Amino acid sequence: MNYRQIIIISVLFVFALSCTNDKSIRDEKKDIKTDVYACVPLQPDLSTSLQTKWENKKILKENVVDHMESLDKWQGRAFIPGNNKNVPRENAFVDFSLSDLYAFEGSHSIKLKTPTRLPSPMQSDQRMWDWIFLTREFNDEDFTDYTRISAKIYPDCPGHKKIHLFMILQNGDNVPDKYLREGLHTVMLENNKWNDVIFEVPHLKRDQVKSISFVYRQQGNEIDASDTVAFYIDRLAWQQAETEHFEGWDTADDIVFSHTGYNLDDSKTAFTSASEGNRFKVLSVPGNEVILEKDIKSVEGAVGKFSEFDFTEINKEGLYRIQYNNKTTEPFPIKNDVWNTTLLKTMNFFFSERCGYELPGIHGVCHSDCYTLNNQDTVFMNGGWHDAGDLSQSFANTAEATGTMFRLARNFKANDSELSKRLLDEAMWGLKWLHKNRFADGQKVSWTVIDHWSDGLVGNSDDKITSFRFNERDNRNSIVAEVEAMKTLKDSNPDLAKKCLEFAMEDWHWNEEKVHSADLAVLARGVWAGATLYEVTKSEEVKNKIIGYADELMKCQQKEPMDWNIPLNGFFYTNSKSDILFVQRHVVSLISPILGLVQLCQLFPQHENYQEWHTSIKLYAEYLKATSSVTDPYNVIPASVYKLGSTDNDQIVNGIAMNDQYYLRMFPVWEAGRGNSPVILSYAVGLAEANKVLKEEEIEKICQSQLEWIVGKNPFNQSLMYGEGYNYSPQFSAPCGDIVGGIPVGIQTKGNKDIPYWQPAVLYNFKELWVHVSARWLYLLESMYYSEKEEI
């Protein structure tokens, strides 16, 4: 072989390697099933993450404001913001000093040393001990020209698996905001190495900067981790770099698309707010062969003007890109069962949120000193799943997720036995926790916020003693979970199945005895849970009750079109005597008001009330169809119509006026807690279930749009599911770290506005991982793609 041949072969090899190095192609070849089925936490491909983008930005301008060679402008404080008007704890001492042990540059860094807890006992309503502030003060300086804050941090935290700090920017009197959400950012750190810490701040005022703080929250430690930690901080700088789009309905000229891809038989669209030509192309990957060239569709409406690309006719499996003028998307697949990857990643999320279970690299067997006292018995409450980034536990959310997993396990049993087994294993983990946290008279361990690590030793300061109570929602969700478990286990474990049915009937009994409410949510959950129970008991008493509940439920619905600018009807009021529409905020307690009505149509197709149930379902679906069209081409379902005086008028009036009293808001009216993922997923579950009766193609497309919004077809071209697609952000699950498959509470609004806002900062609640969001994701996938007809 001569020299020229060697050069040609080498060039061809490098070219081939560059083609196969495409990050999406690598992802397609990697089968994540092996790790998911083996219960090994998935590791993300960080090359597609927003974090990697931040770390590799070109710095256009920099101002190093502190090399940490003096303590002159530094202060230390210890207090919990929001408590006692932010007054530091009396006699609090914060240990910080110059250190020459570790220095990123120069001679010194600043060392912050702190215990992980205080000796005072953990109270039932206490989340953690103090917040330890190390603050660099400024004199109302203007840093508007800079878009981010940078620092170097070296943690020395022996035995700690996941380490984080807060960064807090204080500017004038407007940052942080009154809810302590704007101005805070969470950074995850690797132990015993210098970390490049970045706080992107283009969304914040920075014209009167008073301070930048590094904050350690005293959240305890596991038994094998040190009870004292240290952080070495160096080279604090302001930097200017290009920033990501963070507010508005426009796409900032990006082409937004479903990063997960598209099913062969589903509709396939993408769009951009750019207008740069009349034609678009779909290209193959690799090879860039033109598979389709077609005219764009111009879409103009309430949320803006867009160029839409419809490539539904492509029905060949493969990887593709969209090209529009000089813009090209990242690759995406078109194939059968394209959403399966998100189901697997969601199961990884639940596994990684297990409480009381050793998860290598995340935590050991945790919270074995959190317990409930029941007469002379001590019931240890660890188990189940950490419900959120604050390590909380929720009976209702655990029950909802458990029931959905049992249903999915059943539906996959014939066609994918391995996946069915994995779903069953996780469902059993949830069921075990439900069973040990139920008490006499229908009482449950309803909700517990932990928010700290404990040493597992009973009797010292970090114990958490919980309580139990009666809660209607807990029991309704429990009924569904127990029935789904019974149906799944009746052949493989008949004794446990029998026990599950007994528990379901007990919960039904206690709710019937204690709950006498005409509120919409209570009625809707009553029909849903009761219909599920009737399916396996055929109880005439249950049947009569749920038909009566359905009658009352339908009295809460607006039947006739309203005399509004958009003549809507089909929505529900809070009760039959109210003129306040039923709405949900970031905490969604009701999956859908019509789930039970759909079940009644399926159970009793010959009943004299069938047409009323069907009509109610149809009206509600038409309402969601009409409101989702307002956000075309996103077709994300708006929050609700609000009446002035029902809640915060300053937010309501920023919606679309229906008349002088009612306004349609795209996002909920909210206070501190914000995020619309659970809202749109719950609407979509209701629609998907309704479509089992209505069978409309348009409804399928709307449900699909809610899935696609989550995985990238949103104004920011960011997948909200961690480890899925492109541009996914770090999320707030600080004690456990970022988890592949986690979905945060979601896109919010800024202040009183009603337009999408997805700031780069990482914080609760908007970027916090909550299991009820992921439970709704599983429910929606099951309703749309994985349901099977069952014989009981």
Side-chain angles (χ1 to χ4, degrees):
M1 183 179 294
N2 61 35
Y3 178 78
R4 182 177 179 182
Q5 288 173 317
I6 292 174
I7 293 295
I8 293 173
I9 290 172
S10 299
V11 169
L12 290 173
F13 175 78
V14 170
F15 175 76
L17 184 62
S18 68
C19 290
T20 57
N21 249 358
D22 186 288
K23 52 195 173 187
S24 277
I25 298 173
R26 292 202 311 272
D27 284 352
E28 280 299 299
K29 290 182 177 179
K30 181 181 178 181
D31 187 355
I32 64 174
K33 288 183 179 180
T34 302
D35 285 348
V36 173
Y37 294 166
C39 294
V40 176
L42 293 176
Q43 300 302 312
D45 176 6
L46 291 176
S47 69
T48 66
S49 72
L50 194 58
Q51 181 71 43
T52 298
K53 274 192 173 183
W54 292 341
E55 293 170 356
N56 289 282
K57 282 183 179 179
K58 180 180 180 182
I59 304 305
L60 305 175
K61 183 178 178 181
E62 185 175 51
N63 179 3
V64 181
V65 293
D66 208 309
H67 291 278
M68 280 58 171
E69 301 295 339
S70 168
L71 297 177
D72 287 349
K73 296 181 179 181
W74 291 86
Q75 279 195 0
R77 297 175 296 162
F79 66 97
I80 298 180
N83 291 6
N84 302 319
K85 299 181 180 179
N86 297 348
V87 176
R89 182 169 51 82
E90 186 177 358
N91 300 322
F93 173 73
V94 179
D95 184 356
F96 69 100
S97 59
L98 288 179
S99 172
D100 58 5
L101 180 60
Y102 298 105
F104 182 80
E105 63 181 24
S107 302
H108 298 91
S109 61
I110 294 182
K111 177 184 179 181
L112 173 64
K113 183 180 178 181
T114 175
T116 62
R117 63 164 67 87
L118 299 177
S120 55
M122 180 66 64
Q123 303 300 309
S124 60
D125 61 346
Q126 189 175 351
R127 287 176 171 264
M128 62 190 75
W129 291 273
D130 279 344
W131 289 29
I132 308 300
F133 282 69
L134 177 62
T135 301
R136 172 51 156 90
E137 296 184 329
F138 297 88
N139 188 26
D140 291 338
E141 295 180 49
D142 188 350
F143 291 102
T144 304
D145 286 347
Y146 299 92
T147 60
R148 64 192 212 164
I149 303 166
S150 170
K152 309 296 181 182
I153 302 180
Y154 187 104
D156 182 11
C157 307
H160 290 254
K161 300 177 181 67
K162 297 294 180 182
I163 304 166
H164 74 280
L165 288 178
F166 278 4
M167 295 178 68
I168 301 180
L169 172 67
Q170 184 180 5
N171 185 83
D173 295 325
N174 48 38
V175 178
D177 66 324
K178 65 179 180 179
Y179 296 122
L180 205 66
R181 296 296 191 270
E182 296 283 0
L184 281 71
H185 175 57
T186 312
V187 292
M188 299 302 301
L189 304 170
E190 291 188 50
N191 209 3
N192 302 124
K193 63 171 287 188
W194 282 107
N195 292 258
D196 188 7
V197 170
I198 299 164
F199 182 8
E200 297 269 344
V201 295
H203 59 297
L204 298 174
K205 291 281 188 181
R206 47 203 185 277
D207 57 341
Q208 300 176 55
V209 173
K210 293 182 179 296
S211 66
I212 297 170
S213 297
F214 298 90
V215 182
Y216 174 80
R217 302 187 300 164
Q218 291 180 320
Q219 291 180 283
N221 57 277
E222 296 187 86
I223 195 167
D224 58 349
S226 64
D227 59 8
T228 300
V229 294
F231 298 89
Y232 299 83
I233 303 171
D234 206 348
R235 200 181 192 278
L236 179 62
W238 284 88
Q239 298 176 335
Q240 182 190 90
E242 290 186 4
T243 61
E244 285 76 38
H245 179 42
F246 61 83
E247 187 174 29
W249 286 103
D250 67 286
T251 70
D253 293 344
D254 269 5
I255 299 171
V256 300
F257 63 103
S258 172
H259 296 186
T260 296
Y262 304 83
N263 273 328
L264 283 173
D265 296 331
D266 286 350
S267 64
K268 307 174 188 71
T269 62
F271 50 87
T272 178
S273 54
S275 180
E276 300 179 350
N278 299 320
R279 306 276 287 177
F280 75 96
K281 298 176 182 178
V282 178
L283 310 177
S284 64
V285 177
N288 288 332
E289 177 187 355
V290 177
I291 303 301
L292 176 71
E293 184 171 359
K294 191 176 176 182
D295 287 343
I296 68 167
K297 175 185 176 184
S298 295
V299 177
E300 187 169 5
V303 300
K305 185 176 181 180
F306 301 88
S307 301
E308 186 177 48
F309 319 123
D310 189 330
F311 49 100
T312 301
E313 58 263 50
I314 297 179
N315 58 7
K316 181 182 178 181
E317 287 201 2
L319 278 174
Y320 301 91
R321 300 179 192 262
I322 298 166
Q323 185 180 79
Y324 180 55
N325 198 12
N326 62 346
K327 296 180 175 64
T328 306
T329 67
E330 297 286 359
F332 58 86
I334 295 176
K335 64 177 184 177
N336 280 320
D337 297 326
V338 76
W339 296 103
N340 274 21
T341 57
T342 69
L343 189 154
L344 292 168
K345 289 176 181 178
T346 302
M347 295 310 298
N348 174 77
F349 165 71
F350 274 97
F351 173 72
S352 301
E353 286 282 32
R354 282 189 178 186
C355 175
Y357 186 92
E358 183 172 1
L359 293 161
I362 301 177
H363 60 73
V365 176
C366 58
H367 300 123
S368 55
D369 48 2
C370 297
Y371 53 91
T372 303
L373 298 175
N374 179 31
N375 297 322
Q376 301 301 312
D377 294 329
T378 300
V379 180
F380 294 96
M381 66 160 292
N382 62 341
W385 303 290
H386 293 135
D387 189 80
D390 60 8
L391 304 175
S392 56
Q393 291 272 19
S394 164
F395 195 96
N397 292 342
T398 300
E400 182 185 324
T402 298
T404 301
M405 289 178 196
F406 273 121
R407 192 165 56 251
L408 279 165
R410 225 165 39 247
N411 294 345
F412 277 112
K413 186 174 181 180
N415 298 321
D416 193 335
S417 60
E418 281 191 287
L419 178 54
S420 176
K421 182 180 177 182
R422 178 68 195 90
L423 286 158
L424 180 60
D425 178 56
E426 205 63 36
M428 289 295 293
W429 181 261
L431 185 69
K432 183 178 179 180
W433 188 86
L434 295 176
H435 283 183
K436 77 173 183 176
N437 285 290
R438 53 184 298 124
F439 301 93
D441 302 334
Q443 298 179 96
K444 310 285 192 298
V445 173
S446 185
W447 178 264
T448 301
V449 176
I450 302 175
D451 218 2
H452 71 281
W453 295 118
S454 56
D455 59 13
L457 304 176
V458 176
N460 57 19
S461 64
D462 64 4
D463 293 1
K464 170 79 77 167
I465 304 176
T466 66
S467 59
F468 50 87
R469 64 188 176 98
F470 179 87
N471 180 275
E472 171 268 334
R473 182 187 171 211
D474 291 342
N475 286 328
R476 302 293 196 202
N477 284 24
S478 178
I479 291 167
V480 175
E482 300 289 358
V483 171
E484 296 293 357
M486 172 264 171
K487 291 160 67 176
T488 308
L489 301 171
K490 61 182 180 180
D491 295 327
S492 61
N493 193 338
D495 290 340
L496 180 55
K498 180 181 178 182
K499 178 62 69 176
C500 289
L501 183 56
E502 289 174 1
F503 285 162
M505 294 174 70
E506 282 181 14
D507 287 333
W508 176 264
H509 163 76
W510 288 116
N511 266 32
E512 290 305 299
E513 180 174 303
K514 296 185 177 186
V515 179
H516 306 284
S517 172
D519 287 348
L520 173 75
V522 175
L523 291 169
R525 282 191 291 264
V527 182
W528 173 58
T532 304
L533 183 61
Y534 173 82
E535 193 176 0
V536 295
T537 63
K538 307 303 182 188
S539 166
E540 285 298 311
E541 180 182 352
V542 172
K543 175 181 176 180
N544 292 335
K545 281 285 187 179
I546 59 179
I547 289 174
Y549 289 156
D551 289 342
E552 294 302 312
L553 173 69
M554 291 185 292
K555 291 177 184 177
C556 303
Q557 189 174 32
Q558 176 65 41
K559 303 294 196 303
E560 300 300 321
M562 298 293 286
D563 185 19
W564 292 344
N565 295 331
I566 304 175
L568 299 172
N569 62 327
F571 51 82
F572 288 88
Y573 297 101
T574 55
N575 59 64
S576 61
K577 298 178 182 179
S578 173
D579 60 353
I580 305 301
L581 276 68
F582 176 77
V583 300
Q584 305 202 76
R585 298 190 294 175
H586 70 296
V587 178
V588 180
S589 63
L590 178 65
I591 305 175
S592 172
I594 63 166
L595 290 187
L597 297 179
V598 172
Q599 289 171 294
L600 291 180
C601 284
Q602 294 171 323
L603 288 170
F604 311 117
Q606 304 304 317
H607 195 277
E608 60 183 358
N609 292 353
Y610 176 87
Q611 194 55 53
E612 288 184 64
W613 304 329
H614 190 281
T615 299
S616 180
I617 295 166
K618 176 71 172 176
L619 286 173
Y620 187 66
E622 291 299 320
Y623 164 67
L624 294 182
K625 285 162 59 177
T627 55
S628 68
S629 69
V630 174
T631 64
D632 191 25
Y634 296 99
N635 296 120
V636 65
I637 302 172
S640 182
V641 175
Y642 288 83
K643 184 181 181 182
L644 290 177
S646 61
T647 180
D648 187 341
N649 285 354
D650 290 339
Q651 291 189 58
I652 292 174
V653 296
N654 283 310
I656 298 173
M658 299 289 99
N659 62 15
D660 60 353
Q661 287 292 305
Y662 289 91
Y663 292 79
L664 173 65
R665 274 189 61 93
M666 305 298 103
F667 291 82
V669 169
W670 34 36
E671 295 178 352
R674 302 185 174 208
N676 81 331
S677 294
V679 179
I680 64 172
L681 291 175
S682 296
Y683 280 138
V685 167
L687 266 181
E689 289 294 304
N691 215 33
K692 294 177 181 178
V693 174
L694 302 176
K695 302 186 186 307
E696 296 180 16
E697 184 177 345
E698 183 181 354
I699 290 177
E700 290 182 8
K701 290 181 180 179
I702 294 171
C703 293
Q704 182 184 332
S705 293
Q706 313 318 300
L707 294 174
E708 292 176 342
W709 171 273
I710 299 290
V711 296
K713 200 195 278 189
N714 53 58
F716 315 109
N717 197 21
Q718 292 184 28
S719 173
L720 306 191
M721 179 180 282
Y722 190 80
E724 174 71 5
Y726 305 97
N727 305 322
Y728 56 86
S729 170
Q731 298 175 347
F732 187 83
S733 178
C736 297
D738 291 314
I739 301 173
V740 170
I743 306 174
V745 182
I747 293 171
Q748 55 159 325
T749 64
K750 187 169 188 176
N752 294 327
K753 296 179 183 178
D754 194 27
I755 59 175
Y757 176 53
W758 194 233
Q759 67 269 55
V762 177
L763 196 67
Y764 45 79
N765 301 95
F766 53 94
K767 285 191 179 175
E768 187 172 2
L769 299 182
W770 287 9
V771 298
H772 91 294
V773 184
S774 294
R776 304 286 158 91
W777 183 267
L778 289 180
Y779 204 139
L780 181 55
L781 290 181
E782 191 270 339
S783 295
M784 290 180 68
Y785 300 115
Y786 306 126
S787 294
E788 290 187 5
K789 199 75 175 175
E790 299 180 67
E791 295 294 330
I792 303 301

